[in-house]
Amino acid sequence: MGGAGRRPGPSRTRQAILDVARDEFARRGFDAATVRSIAGRAGVDPAMIAHHFGSKQQLFLAVLQLPFDPAVEIAQVLDGPREELAERLLGRLLDVWDSPSGAGAVAAVRTAVQRDDTAGLVRDLALSRVLAPLMETMAGTPQQRLWRANLVASQLVGLIFARYVVRLEPLASAAHADVVAALAPTVERYLSGRLAGGPPDTNC
Amino acid sequence: MGGAGRRPGPSRTRQAILDVARDEFARRGFDAATVRSIAGRAGVDPAMIAHHFGSKQQLFLAVLQLPFDPAVEIAQVLDGPREELAERLLGRLLDVWDSPSGAGAVAAVRTAVQRDDTAGLVRDLALSRVLAPLMETMAGTPQQRLWRANLVASQLVGLIFARYVVRLEPLASAAHADVVAALAPTVERYLSGRLAGGPPDTNC
């Protein structure tokens, strides 16, 4: 990785931190894994992690190799009238995945779903960085809101895989407005509509 | 692959056929690739492909390593009252992916989405073996029906990845009836409901 004239030390340290962090996040989850525990196992000072990656959140994103921060995107989505939340959510997803960052994001999810541990990292990321903020906009018990968030995720994940990974046509080439118009009623129903059934204690 | 006492020839031939078939299907698509063209490039008689794999369809499934035939499953789904089609589609998907074959199917899609060529095989399989039969149940122009089929696929693909690959909870552990109740109105709307927008010439 290091270019000409650069000592191999820093990039080896960086890679060692990434390897340990991937394992720690996969074993313990995002919340339980700490910068201190990762630094300890990698044999570096915690300040070295801050130097190379910044925060634990940024280290997590580096492990997943995602080119954008979903938490930043979702914060922007939540900033607006509630009645257009589903449209903004879908529109933002399309904007980000169709941007120059999109190719890197496709590569990241392709790699991440390959193994149980990295798929678990995606699950952690989705829960803590996308679904948790989304749940704060919902009514109902925590169980009901988590069930709704799962349903929203099922449609968004399907859009990502059908449009960007499998590239099903005409969905892969459809204009953003057409995709949003077709899927927004689904996302809105999952966010706040009437749901028949659901796991125990989640009937909404 | 060959057991004790088995000559290495047949399994090498089988692997050579699979390697050429993967490339032919990926380059030309399922319909244009022929048993004859695959046999020619693999340097074997077409009868050898029939001997090892049976039909072109079974060869395609062997390339994808899918443990079941989606065309057989969808035929069973289509056999029943139209007003319960969405429920049967979701119910069958859950039955198959939660069966002992499911683990193999998860491994197959994880591998398939990894590369453009194998993701293309999944797209071909979904179009020709699942979406095409489903489109025959729909009203509208071919473009409208393909758009609707794409939308159905986006929800089904999302269910598969959220429940079986990423294993988002509580969706991953939810009873079939609860998942069907939550998602069937979405699938039904994509199959036959009112859709606002869509690509040019698909407004339904």
XYZ file of all heavy atoms in Angstrom, chain A residues 150-185:
262
model
N -37.109 -3.376 10.564
C -36.707 -4.572 9.803
C -37.399 -4.611 8.449
O -36.778 -4.956 7.431
C -37.082 -5.843 10.571
C -36.015 -6.340 11.526
O -35.660 -7.505 11.531
N -35.490 -5.457 12.363
N -38.674 -4.284 8.433
C -39.420 -4.326 7.172
C -38.903 -3.260 6.206
O -38.723 -3.525 5.014
C -40.921 -4.142 7.438
C -41.571 -5.234 8.307
C -43.031 -4.893 8.592
C -41.456 -6.609 7.651
N -38.662 -2.058 6.722
C -38.073 -1.007 5.882
C -36.746 -1.500 5.300
O -36.486 -1.375 4.098
C -37.846 0.297 6.695
C -37.038 1.306 5.880
C -39.176 0.902 7.125
N -35.914 -2.098 6.170
C -34.610 -2.594 5.715
C -34.778 -3.626 4.611
O -33.995 -3.649 3.653
C -33.834 -3.187 6.893
N -35.796 -4.495 4.732
C -35.966 -5.546 3.716
C -36.212 -4.943 2.336
O -35.738 -5.460 1.327
C -37.099 -6.506 4.104
O -38.376 -5.967 3.820
N -36.935 -3.812 2.278
C -37.171 -3.194 0.971
C -35.950 -2.416 0.479
O -35.622 -2.455 -0.703
C -38.404 -2.284 1.032
C -38.703 -1.574 -0.284
C -39.045 -2.512 -1.440
O -40.152 -2.958 -1.605
N -38.048 -2.825 -2.276
N -35.256 -1.731 1.399
C -34.080 -0.957 0.986
C -32.939 -1.876 0.542
O -32.266 -1.620 -0.467
C -33.604 -0.040 2.128
C -34.610 1.005 2.634
C -33.942 1.919 3.664
C -35.210 1.823 1.500
N -32.707 -2.945 1.290
C -31.678 -3.921 0.929
C -32.008 -4.539 -0.430
O -31.127 -4.736 -1.274
C -31.567 -5.013 2.021
C -30.772 -6.217 1.522
C -30.935 -4.445 3.282
N -33.294 -4.829 -0.634
C -33.702 -5.403 -1.914
C -33.480 -4.446 -3.063
O -33.061 -4.856 -4.158
N -33.741 -3.156 -2.830
C -33.487 -2.158 -3.868
C -31.997 -2.113 -4.199
O -31.605 -2.093 -5.374
C -33.990 -0.783 -3.402
C -33.648 0.396 -4.311
C -34.220 0.208 -5.718
C -34.155 1.713 -3.694
N -31.154 -2.109 -3.166
C -29.706 -2.042 -3.385
C -29.235 -3.251 -4.192
O -28.501 -3.110 -5.179
C -28.964 -1.951 -2.032
C -29.191 -0.568 -1.405
C -27.461 -2.225 -2.206
C -28.732 -0.446 0.034
N -29.664 -4.455 -3.801
C -29.185 -5.644 -4.507
C -29.791 -5.762 -5.893
O -29.095 -6.120 -6.855
C -29.406 -6.907 -3.671
C -28.303 -7.124 -2.686
C -28.363 -6.565 -1.423
C -27.177 -7.837 -3.045
C -27.320 -6.718 -0.519
C -26.123 -8.007 -2.153
C -26.195 -7.444 -0.886
N -31.079 -5.466 -6.050
C -31.708 -5.623 -7.364
C -31.184 -4.579 -8.347
O -30.929 -4.874 -9.517
C -33.229 -5.531 -7.243
N -31.019 -3.330 -7.889
C -30.603 -2.257 -8.804
C -29.099 -2.200 -9.018
O -28.643 -1.994 -10.145
C -31.094 -0.894 -8.260
C -30.712 0.322 -9.117
C -31.310 1.608 -8.545
N -30.787 2.820 -9.123
C -31.418 3.588 -10.035
N -32.592 3.218 -10.489
N -30.877 4.687 -10.491
N -28.314 -2.366 -7.939
C -26.873 -2.080 -8.042
C -25.994 -3.320 -8.116
O -24.877 -3.247 -8.609
C -26.432 -1.204 -6.861
C -27.114 0.133 -6.838
C -28.153 0.404 -5.956
C -26.744 1.125 -7.743
C -28.804 1.629 -5.948
C -27.375 2.351 -7.751
C -28.411 2.602 -6.857
O -29.047 3.807 -6.875
N -26.449 -4.439 -7.593
C -25.611 -5.643 -7.588
C -26.042 -6.593 -8.706
O -25.250 -6.933 -9.577
C -25.643 -6.341 -6.213
C -24.780 -7.606 -6.234
C -25.157 -5.388 -5.112
N -27.306 -7.005 -8.686
C -27.801 -7.915 -9.732
C -28.117 -7.141 -11.010
O -28.086 -7.682 -12.099
C -29.038 -8.693 -9.216
C -29.626 -9.570 -10.303
C -28.645 -9.559 -8.012
N -28.405 -5.837 -10.879
C -28.687 -4.947 -12.028
C -29.828 -5.440 -12.903
O -29.695 -5.625 -14.114
C -27.428 -4.740 -12.873
C -26.353 -4.015 -12.092
C -25.313 -3.373 -13.006
N -24.126 -3.061 -12.225
C -22.904 -3.544 -12.470
N -22.701 -4.338 -13.493
N -21.895 -3.223 -11.705
N -30.946 -5.647 -12.236
C -32.158 -6.057 -12.925
C -32.717 -4.860 -13.694
O -32.874 -3.780 -13.139
C -33.161 -6.523 -11.860
C -34.297 -7.443 -12.243
C -33.788 -8.725 -12.873
C -35.125 -7.762 -11.000
N -33.032 -5.086 -14.970
C -33.609 -4.003 -15.784
C -35.112 -4.208 -15.937
O -35.543 -5.363 -16.036
C -32.960 -3.963 -17.164
C -31.520 -3.518 -17.172
C -31.324 -2.042 -16.850
O -32.330 -1.316 -16.692
O -30.173 -1.627 -16.727
N -35.892 -3.105 -15.932
C -35.503 -1.686 -16.047
C -35.185 -0.991 -14.723
O -34.860 0.188 -14.729
C -36.737 -1.043 -16.687
C -37.881 -1.845 -16.162
C -37.362 -3.261 -16.037
N -35.258 -1.730 -13.582
C -35.027 -1.082 -12.292
C -33.643 -0.447 -12.213
O -33.474 0.649 -11.649
C -35.214 -2.106 -11.161
C -35.081 -1.583 -9.732
C -36.119 -0.504 -9.438
C -35.208 -2.722 -8.721
N -32.622 -1.115 -12.788
C -31.244 -0.623 -12.674
C -31.048 0.714 -13.377
O -30.211 1.510 -12.972
C -30.274 -1.661 -13.233
N -31.834 0.973 -14.421
C -31.666 2.217 -15.179
C -32.791 3.223 -14.936
O -32.778 4.298 -15.532
C -31.631 1.906 -16.681
O -30.677 0.942 -16.984
N -33.754 2.873 -14.101
C -34.920 3.748 -13.918
C -34.527 5.071 -13.266
O -33.596 5.127 -12.460
C -35.967 3.026 -13.069
N -35.240 6.134 -13.633
C -35.023 7.445 -13.032
C -35.378 7.395 -11.551
O -36.270 6.635 -11.137
C -35.881 8.490 -13.746
N -34.671 8.205 -10.769
C -34.912 8.214 -9.331
C -36.381 8.454 -9.004
O -36.948 7.793 -8.128
C -34.052 9.277 -8.658
C -32.591 8.933 -8.647
N -31.673 9.593 -7.877
C -31.896 7.969 -9.319
C -30.468 9.066 -8.071
N -30.580 8.089 -8.950
N -36.997 9.403 -9.706
C -38.388 9.752 -9.398
C -39.319 8.558 -9.587
O -40.275 8.375 -8.829
C -38.837 10.919 -10.292
N -39.026 7.729 -10.587
C -39.879 6.557 -10.845
C -39.715 5.493 -9.759
O -40.676 4.857 -9.344
C -39.561 5.969 -12.220
C -39.994 6.899 -13.350
O -41.072 7.511 -13.219
O -39.248 7.028 -14.332
N -38.477 5.291 -9.337
C -38.225 4.311 -8.272
C -38.872 4.783 -6.970
O -39.535 4.011 -6.268
C -36.711 4.080 -8.073
C -36.461 3.105 -6.937
C -36.070 3.582 -9.360
N -38.677 6.053 -6.664
C -39.249 6.603 -5.432
C -40.774 6.486 -5.461
O -41.397 6.061 -4.480
C -38.814 8.074 -5.235
C -39.577 8.711 -4.076
C -37.308 8.153 -4.985
N -41.392 6.833 -6.574
C -42.859 6.783 -6.664
C -43.374 5.364 -6.454
O -44.406 5.147 -5.810
C -43.323 7.319 -8.024
N -42.644 4.372 -6.970
C -43.102 2.986 -6.857
C -42.904 2.422 -5.455
O -43.759 1.682 -4.956
C -42.379 2.108 -7.878
N -41.787 2.770 -4.818
C -41.444 2.120 -3.549
C -41.863 2.913 -2.311
O -41.974 2.334 -1.221
C -39.937 1.843 -3.473
C -39.333 0.936 -4.554
C -37.871 0.637 -4.232
C -40.086 -0.380 -4.697
N -42.084 4.232 -2.449
C -42.373 5.043 -1.265
C -43.623 4.571 -0.511
O -43.603 4.535 0.724
C -42.493 6.523 -1.642
N -44.714 4.172 -1.193
C -45.869 3.691 -0.416
C -45.535 2.457 0.428
O -46.073 2.290 1.530
C -46.907 3.350 -1.500
C -46.528 4.207 -2.674
C -45.030 4.263 -2.639
